[in-house]
Amino acid sequence: MATEAVEFRPKRIRLVAVLSAVFLVAVFTVVGLLLGDTPTGVIFRTSDQVAMVVLGVLLACGILLLARPRVRADAEGVEVRNVVTVRRFAWTDVLHVSFPDGASWARLELPDDEYVSIMAVQAVDRDHAVAAVRALRALHRAATQ
């Protein structure tokens, strides 16, 4: 019977998001620095160069949102933080923890044919996703029996 609190985050997407964010900032910084010397006749000012760098940082921040998902669970319930939203459910409100065939991530099955995706448990993480689903199911089973 698992009664400990668990926390899971995606692994691969976090790595991809961080590398992509660093790449974007680097590319936009280089482009911003090179804007001053163009043979096209267009005059780029310092503000244009700064704007390019800031645009790269904003895009990188948007990509880093993909690294935000997390699921935390304990004996009382489960908290699912996806890209933008955070929701907490008591185990008594959850019917099942499932990972449907072909799905990208796990989900909590709720009453009335509703569900909440758990973006922190992704199929591309393979063994990590299996361990997460098993731990969540064990906590659910312990809380609802």
Side-chain angles (χ1 to χ4, degrees), residues 1-129:
M1 188 183 301
T3 58
E4 295 179 14
V6 294
E7 178 175 313
F8 294 98
R9 293 171 158 246
K11 289 186 178 268
R12 289 192 182 166
I13 193 67
R14 289 176 71 193
L15 176 64
V16 170
V18 169
L19 292 176
S20 298
V22 169
F23 176 76
L24 270 176
V25 171
V27 167
F28 275 79
T29 300
V30 168
V31 169
L33 293 174
L34 296 178
L35 273 181
D37 299 332
T38 60
T40 61
V42 178
I43 299 172
F44 290 103
R45 303 198 186 281
T46 304
S47 61
D48 299 318
Q49 292 173 306
V50 170
M52 284 301 287
V53 175
V54 170
L55 181 60
V57 169
L58 290 175
L59 290 171
C61 289
I63 285 181
L64 286 175
L65 284 175
L66 297 175
R68 190 171 185 264
R70 178 191 71 210
V71 61
R72 283 184 180 163
D74 55 28
E76 286 80 43
V78 59
E79 177 185 85
V80 177
R81 181 174 77 183
N82 287 330
V83 174
V84 179
T85 61
V86 178
R87 295 179 68 184
R88 176 131 180 109
F89 300 94
W91 283 122
T92 55
D93 297 334
V94 176
L95 299 177
H96 308 285
V97 177
S98 66
F99 209 129
D101 288 339
S104 296
W105 41 73
R107 64 189 195 183
L108 297 177
E109 303 286 343
L110 304 172
D112 299 326
D113 293 328
E114 293 183 42
Y115 66 89
V116 173
S117 296
I118 307 173
M119 296 178 79
V121 182
Q122 300 186 359
V124 296
D125 290 333
R126 301 185 194 280
D127 293 338
H128 180 69

